[in-house]
Amino acid sequence: MRNNFFLGLLLGLCAPLIALGLTEYSLVGGNLFPRQPLFLYALAAGANLLLVRVFYAKQYSRDKIAKGILVITFIAMLVFLYMYKMDM
């Protein structure tokens, strides 16, 4: 596995897209968590931050991948919060 920033962006985009799909295009988000609509997005952010921790570990030392995951996590969370606040 190469140490590539764009690979980190792609890896970091997976969890937020899954959370978006489960929340917007299925009944999972509404049925399981009706009072907490941002729960799946927070879960996706937590999964990405766990990946950042794994890639920053000294035995892997893939810091560019971790930076890509971190950047996309913050951008995705800002976009999701903006979209959620616009619906209110």
Side-chain angles (χ1 to χ4, degrees):
M1 184 182 296
R2 299 181 324 195
N3 192 11
N4 191 346
F5 181 75
F6 294 109
L7 180 62
L9 290 176
L10 289 176
L11 284 174
L13 197 57
C14 292
L17 286 179
I18 291 171
L20 177 68
L22 288 175
T23 303
E24 298 294 325
Y25 302 113
S26 73
L27 300 175
V28 173
N31 289 342
L32 290 179
F33 312 107
R35 292 186 175 183
Q36 301 167 340
L38 295 178
F39 178 75
L40 289 176
Y41 298 132
L43 194 64
N48 276 355
L49 292 178
L50 183 65
L51 279 176
V52 167
R53 173 71 178 127
V54 167
F55 281 113
Y56 267 135
K58 291 184 189 244
Q59 55 184 312
Y60 292 116
S61 184
R62 305 283 188 204
D63 59 334
K64 289 181 184 177
I65 293 175
K67 287 177 186 176
I69 294 171
L70 194 60
V71 166
I72 204 71
T73 300
F74 286 122
I75 290 173
M77 289 302 110
L78 288 175
V79 168
F80 290 141
L81 286 174
Y82 178 75
M83 287 174 37
Y84 178 71
K85 291 294 182 183
M86 291 303 289
D87 288 339
M88 292 181 97

